């Protein structure tokens, strides 16, 4: 029985690692296509294809969705649209490892704000120190990239909170399907107007958009919601501290983006903070998290966990 509980406590970490690898690989694929189409076009294709696939797979029933569920899904969808544009624009100017680090500031700020135990707070602050060190690699970074990364961080924080809320209010993946549809409806027309000619001139990029949708949206968002049904916002924010390391590795392998000594030291700080937090997290169920809207689900999400394992 202890071994079984130990395996359960490690499941969120495994899911988050899978999420980060898929997300960063999708970002690398998207960045590789920037010589054909712009960031807004790829962000629009990402959400559109993800929404269509998720809708066909889940078959949500909007008429059976109540007002509270709709409000949560619409808010998450708008956050997804804004986050997609901000992050994809940021990686135009910054290495993926640095951009993902800036985006991580949002969840890490939540983790610090929601920490109640000294150990949790220290781990979050250590990870935050690594993040800040990584954003100052010793040479000037483009101001536009830094501002877009900061905007992505704000959107990412909202995404974490709203994903947990949607996961609590919907018994299955229909909430995510509705949110993706809302995000696609908000972003696709903008992408079509601003970048429609680019896509028409390079129709092959539609295949890239489909791959990015699967790698950067369908897989990560589904895994995020599964994790956020098991842990709270604070624990999730600390687990995401591994994202810069994964992003830097993917950028180096797929895009030949190199790391400086300071960046490597910063990544090491972040990984150490995450390992420390996980070692002292207890059963990993997020019960130590607190704050309004950061409690484990007691309604549909709980029943869904027993029915589908997600």
């Amino acid at each position: 029985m202890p071994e079984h509980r130990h395996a359960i406590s490690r499941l969120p970490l495994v899911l988050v690692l899978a999420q980060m690898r898929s997300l960063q690989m999708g970002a690398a694929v998207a960045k590789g296509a920037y010589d054909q189409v712009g960031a807004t076009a790829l962000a629009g294709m990402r959400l559109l294809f993800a929404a269509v696939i998720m809708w066909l797979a889940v078959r949500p029933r909007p008429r059976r969705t109540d007002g509270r569920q709709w409000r949560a899904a619409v808010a998450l969808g708008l956050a997804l649209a804004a986050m997609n544009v901000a992050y994809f624009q940021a990686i135009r100017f910054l290495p993926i490892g640095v951009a993902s680090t800036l985006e991580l500031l949002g969840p890490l700020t939540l983790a610090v704000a929601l920490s109640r135990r000294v150990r949790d707070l220290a781990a979050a602050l250590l990870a935050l120190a690594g993040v800040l060190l990584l954003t100052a690699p010793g040479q000037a970074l483009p101001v536009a990239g830094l501002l877009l990364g900061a905007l992505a961080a704000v959107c990412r924080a909202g995404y974490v909170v709203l994903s947990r809320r949607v996961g609590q209010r919907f018994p299955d993946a229909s909430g995510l399907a509705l949110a993706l549809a809302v995000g696609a409806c908000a972003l696709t027309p903008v992408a079509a107007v601003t970048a429609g000619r680019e896509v028409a001139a390079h129709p092959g990029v539609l295949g890239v958009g489909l791959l990015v949708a699967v790698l950067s949206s369908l897989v990560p968002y589904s895994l995020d919601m599964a994790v956020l049904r098991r842990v709270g916002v604070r624990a999730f924010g600390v687990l995401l501290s591994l994202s810069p390391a994964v992003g830097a590795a993917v950028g180096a392998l797929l895009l030949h983006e190199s790391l400086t000594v300071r960046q490597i030291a910063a990544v090491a700080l972040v990984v150490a903070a995450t390992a420390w937090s996980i070692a002292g997290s207890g059963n990993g169920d997020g019960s130590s998290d607190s704050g309004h809207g950061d409690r484990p689900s007691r309604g549909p999400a709980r029943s869904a966990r027993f029915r589908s394992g997600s």
Side-chain angles (χ1 to χ4, degrees):
M1 183 65 69
E3 293 182 358
H4 178 64
R5 288 197 300 266
H6 183 68
I8 292 176
S9 68
R10 293 298 176 87
L11 182 59
L13 174 60
V14 173
L15 295 178
V16 169
L17 286 173
Q19 175 259 52
M20 287 185 292
R21 184 175 65 176
S22 182
L23 181 65
Q24 302 300 348
M25 288 181 64
V29 171
K31 189 170 183 176
Y34 278 1
D35 58 340
Q36 295 179 316
V37 294
T40 302
L42 282 165
M45 286 188 287
R46 172 186 178 181
L47 272 186
L48 176 61
F49 288 137
V52 171
I53 295 172
M54 181 64 76
W55 193 279
L56 293 175
V58 176
R59 304 279 183 159
R61 299 180 179 180
R63 293 183 179 180
R64 296 188 179 182
T65 304
D66 62 34
R68 293 175 69 250
Q69 291 174 320
W70 265 118
R71 286 191 292 273
V74 169
L76 177 59
L78 295 177
L80 285 171
M83 183 176 69
N84 273 268
V85 173
Y87 183 74
F88 272 30
Q89 291 285 353
I91 62 176
R92 288 178 55 207
F93 302 96
L94 303 171
I96 290 178
V98 174
S100 63
T101 301
L102 283 170
E103 187 185 41
L104 181 63
L105 286 173
L108 276 181
T109 301
L110 280 177
V112 172
L114 295 173
S115 295
R116 294 297 178 87
R117 299 186 306 174
V118 174
R119 184 189 186 103
D120 295 337
L121 182 60
L125 289 176
L126 182 61
L128 187 59
V131 167
L132 295 176
L133 183 61
L134 190 57
T135 60
Q139 67 270 6
L141 293 173
V143 175
L146 293 175
L147 292 176
L148 288 165
L151 177 59
V154 174
C155 295
R156 183 73 169 178
Y159 160 79
V160 170
V161 174
L162 293 169
S163 288
R164 181 164 172 81
R165 184 174 301 170
V166 168
Q168 290 174 327
R169 294 183 179 176
F170 286 84
D172 50 25
S174 60
L176 178 57
L178 290 173
L180 285 170
V182 170
C185 289
L187 182 57
T188 303
V190 177
V193 171
T194 60
R197 292 183 179 180
E198 295 178 353
V199 176
H202 302 90
V205 81
L206 291 171
V208 176
L210 178 60
L211 180 58
V212 171
V214 174
L215 291 175
S216 292
S217 293
L218 287 176
V219 174
Y221 298 160
S222 299
L223 292 176
D224 282 349
M225 201 155 289
V227 173
L228 284 164
R229 283 191 174 116
R230 290 172 166 82
V231 304
V233 171
R234 187 213 61 81
F236 185 72
V238 176
L239 285 174
L240 284 181
S241 299
L242 290 170
S243 181
V246 177
V250 170
L253 291 174
L254 299 184
L255 299 174
H256 307 292
E257 296 175 345
S258 60
L259 290 175
T260 66
V261 174
R262 183 178 293 185
Q263 289 172 333
I264 293 173
V267 168
L269 273 177
V270 170
V271 173
T274 304
W276 186 31
S277 176
I278 293 170
S281 62
N283 61 9
D285 64 359
S287 60
S288 64
D289 290 3
S290 59
H292 181 69
D294 192 35
R295 296 177 181 175
S297 174
R298 297 181 180 273
R302 173 182 287 184
S303 61
R305 187 184 306 174
F306 284 99
R307 288 200 304 270
S308 64
S310 64

